[in-house]
Amino acid sequence: MKILVAVKRVVDFNVKVRVLPDGSDVDTGNVKMSMNPFDEIAVEEAVRLKEAGKASEIVAVSIGGKKCEDTLRTALAMGADRALHIETDVPAIEPLAVAKLLAQVARQEQAKLILLGKQAIDDDANQTAQMLAALLNAPQATFAGKIDIGTDEITVVREIDGGTETLALRLPAVVSTDLRLNEPRFVKLPNLMQAKKKPLEKSTPADWGADISPRLHTLSYAEPQPRQAGVKVANVAELVSALKAAKAI
Amino acid sequence: MTTLVLAEHDGQTLQAATRNAISAAARLGAVDVLVAGDNVRGVAQAAANIAHVRTVLLAQAPHYAHQLAEEIAPLLVSLAEPYDHLAAAAGSFGKNIMPRAAALLNCPQISDLTEIIAADTFVRPIYAGNVLATVRNPGGKLVLTFRASAFDAAADTGGSADIREVPATAAQNLSRFVRRDLTESERPELTQAKVVVSGGRGLGSAEQFDALMTPLADTLGAAIGASRAAVDAGYAPNDYQVGQTGKIVAPELYIAVGVSGAIQHLAGMQGSKTVVAINKDPDAPIFAVADYGLVGDLFELVPQLTDALKQV
């Protein structure tokens, strides 16, 4: 079974981003970039499935600027077999456009399972996997906390408000990963060196016949009103009387 | 502008967040509500009583019983024609179904929006709530999910909408529901609670989490939340998690106990009205957003606080 994993290059989760003074964009110059944490989990799951003999090949795909190559090399170092880089300078490609491109890739690759992170930590959209499943007319299991592969069905435990839900999906299927699915492995230097020898194929959105022009206009970016630090109280009695005075209790 | 709001329910009761989505959608114009399920006329009646609702569309079929995205999305699409917006609350239910419908309609979605500027312009948080983006839809149909904590709930009485049965779409049979395991709780629902007490890694174990947080929550009639560190360490169940990757809450009072205050956690609670932090580390980032901070050993302070609150 072939697995397709989609990975995104985003500002590292530890970075506190700033908005440019004119509000025209988020300042992403000279900040640390990493693979989206949910996508790392997707790659890890694919690699574990291959190690367990459930998958034959793992293809990693990323869409975006030249530097996405680094993200794909990380996926290859984690254990993906080959990578596809759909290169474009179009900034902030919308989930629907990404889903259209991924649908083309999934069809060409005849992937049985497509793994994505449940959301990217930059746009926080949480849309791409669901949109991709719709375009492929494939079943979806979002927010996966556990995946079991059967012969022509997979069973997925999903994280939902209030608990979990278990679904069985016909293959091919699209699954988006939640944080609980696994703990991604640490990439060792020798693996990174080996990853440089693995195939990485370049193409452009036009090669896939997909229009990725934005449908929505972002008018401006702003930082939220900062919460002011309040006061430190000396003891519990002071805390309770302060809360009473503030009518919080 | 007219909006079709997808109702979230468990077959018996309408989920509270649907009322927040209805009041948000009402600010854009007329609101119809879709209730899909198997044998759910009771839910449709409850939706018809909600203020602002014009018409309730009722779709009943066995394959809608478990609210699978593969079955509900085509139903939304079959009903979408007269509407400018399709909308739902941004819980795990709405997040799962709405993008699938958007793609089938070839229209964009704006997720988890927190503010309505105009009928075509919305504000949504990105980068874990550290940036607010103002987004405009230049035209055409749009799918929206509303952050429930950013909008008041519509009153559950005062409406007198007609209920109109709509034909069911064909079963897709792409996926099969196996089971649902819900965390049993007598407490208020986390995203709707007026008071939330939240525990972090500082609590040290599941037993201590329970021994300290449960009495505090009981005293305040509060819901219990947790940081990701506490959930990952197994101190609290997954669905307690507050943060970018968990639930977004905005209660009147949020008490963070042994929570350091990582960006990821702050994204889920910085809309709270009053924030209290109890932590032994005076430099913990949580103190930068707390209205009232108490530095010290939580194993002494939390029982003291619980006792003091019992006297109030």
Side-chain angles (χ1 to χ4, degrees), chain A residues 98-149:
Chain A
V98 172
K100 286 177 181 176
L101 279 169
L102 292 177
Q104 296 289 73
V105 175
R107 283 190 197 104
Q108 178 178 300
E109 293 286 340
Q110 300 276 307
K112 278 280 191 194
L113 177 62
I114 304 138
L115 287 170
L116 301 87
K118 78 164 177 180
Q119 74 191 64
I121 60 163
D122 52 0
D123 67 16
D124 280 336
N126 195 333
Q127 299 174 12
T128 306
Q130 298 88 317
M131 289 177 159
L132 173 61
L135 298 176
L136 293 171
N137 193 32
Q140 68 184 53
T142 48
F143 328 141
K146 192 170 188 291
I147 300 175
D148 279 314
I149 309 262

Side-chain angles (χ1 to χ4, degrees), chain B residues 50-312:
Chain B
I50 294 175
H52 309 300
V53 178
R54 184 179 66 176
T55 309
V56 174
L57 309 183
L58 173 60
Q60 302 191 94
H63 57 276
Y64 296 147
H66 300 295
Q67 314 275 322
L68 299 172
E70 295 82 351
E71 307 294 350
I72 305 293
L75 173 66
L76 273 167
V77 172
S78 76
L79 300 168
E81 206 277 317
Y83 297 98
D84 302 290
H85 301 120
L86 300 180
S92 62
F93 169 83
K95 287 177 180 176
N96 184 43
I97 295 174
M98 300 312 280
R100 191 170 178 109
L104 295 174
L105 290 162
N106 190 28
C107 78
Q109 169 171 321
I110 300 177
S111 297
D112 210 13
L113 68 95
T114 53
E115 202 182 324
I116 298 167
I117 306 283
D120 62 356
T121 309
F122 307 92
V123 175
R124 62 174 303 259
I126 57 176
Y127 289 94
N130 288 305
V131 177
L132 301 174
T134 303
V135 185
R136 184 171 163 268
N137 176 36
K141 221 178 277 298
L142 187 60
V143 172
L144 304 171
T145 60
F146 296 106
R147 179 174 294 189
S149 62
F151 298 94
D152 291 335
D156 51 16
T157 57
S160 56
D162 290 332
I163 298 174
R164 182 157 63 85
E165 288 249 17
V166 295
T169 42
Q172 303 292 309
N173 297 321
L174 292 166
S175 61
R176 187 162 55 78
F177 174 85
V178 179
R179 57 185 288 177
R180 194 166 289 165
D181 298 285
L182 299 178
T183 309
E184 297 287 335
S185 177
E186 300 287 307
R187 300 182 187 289
E189 210 272 310
L190 187 53
T191 56
Q192 300 284 326
K194 290 219 175 345
V195 182
V196 173
V197 299
S198 199
R201 185 158 38 196
L203 284 151
S205 71
E207 293 69 33
Q208 284 164 334
F209 189 100
D210 187 48
L212 266 67
M213 301 307 286
T214 305
L216 179 62
D218 287 345
T219 309
L220 288 161
I224 302 182
S227 70
R228 187 182 162 201
V231 170
D232 283 350
Y235 304 169
N238 293 345
D239 51 310
Y240 279 30
Q241 188 184 319
V242 172
Q244 183 185 21
T245 57
K247 295 197 174 114
I248 312 284
V249 301
E252 297 284 315
L253 177 61
Y254 188 88
I255 304 183
V257 176
V259 173
S260 65
I263 295 173
Q264 201 282 134
H265 186 76
L266 300 183
M269 48 65 73
Q270 54 195 355
S272 306
K273 190 147 179 281
T274 303
V275 174
V276 173
I278 302 176
N279 204 301
K280 67 171 186 234
D281 175 10
D283 298 322
I286 191 77
F287 287 119
V289 302
D291 299 280
Y292 304 102
L294 187 52
V295 180
D297 181 1
L298 60 91
F299 296 103
E300 290 171 19
L301 294 171
V302 173
Q304 280 179 29
L305 178 61
T306 304
D307 286 343
L309 289 168
K310 279 182 190 151
Q311 317 296 319
V312 175

Side-chain angles (χ1 to χ4, degrees), chain A residues 29-205:
Chain A
N30 297 320
V31 300
K32 187 183 175 206
M33 305 291 282
S34 301
M35 188 190 293
N36 180 43
F38 292 100
D39 304 348
E40 268 190 292
I41 291 167
V43 175
E44 175 66 31
E45 193 67 15
V47 174
R48 288 186 191 191
L49 289 169
K50 194 178 171 199
E51 287 168 349
K54 303 270 174 75
S56 50
E57 188 184 26
I58 303 166
V59 181
V61 56
S62 192
I63 303 161
K66 193 160 177 30
K67 291 274 183 65
C68 288
E69 208 180 305
D70 301 346
T71 312
L72 286 169
R73 290 288 172 204
T74 306
L76 292 169
M78 287 176 75
D81 295 294
R82 58 190 175 87
L84 303 173
H85 180 192
I86 304 177
E87 196 171 342
T88 168
D89 288 330
V90 174
I93 309 165
E94 291 174 9
L96 185 56
V98 172
K100 286 177 181 176
L101 279 169
L102 292 177
Q104 296 289 73
V105 175
R107 283 190 197 104
Q108 178 178 300
E109 293 286 340
Q110 300 276 307
K112 278 280 191 194
L113 177 62
I114 304 138
L115 287 170
L116 301 87
K118 78 164 177 180
Q119 74 191 64
I121 60 163
D122 52 0
D123 67 16
D124 280 336
N126 195 333
Q127 299 174 12
T128 306
Q130 298 88 317
M131 289 177 159
L132 173 61
L135 298 176
L136 293 171
N137 193 32
Q140 68 184 53
T142 48
F143 328 141
K146 192 170 188 291
I147 300 175
D148 279 314
I149 309 262
T151 39
D152 45 20
E153 225 183 38
I154 61 169
T155 307
V156 181
V157 180
R158 304 177 56 226
E159 311 276 340
I160 59 167
D161 294 343
T164 63
E165 176 180 275
T166 307
L167 301 178
L169 312 181
R170 258 182 25 200
L171 295 172
V174 178
V175 174
S176 80
T177 60
D178 216 318
L179 284 172
R180 253 131 240 133
L181 185 59
N182 59 49
E183 186 93 25
R185 68 196 60 196
F186 187 74
V187 175
K188 298 192 194 83
L189 191 62
N191 299 95
L192 264 177
M193 300 308 288
Q194 280 168 6
K196 287 193 177 147
K197 296 191 191 112
K198 290 186 179 177
L200 191 153
E201 201 180 309
K202 300 241 179 202
S203 58
T204 66

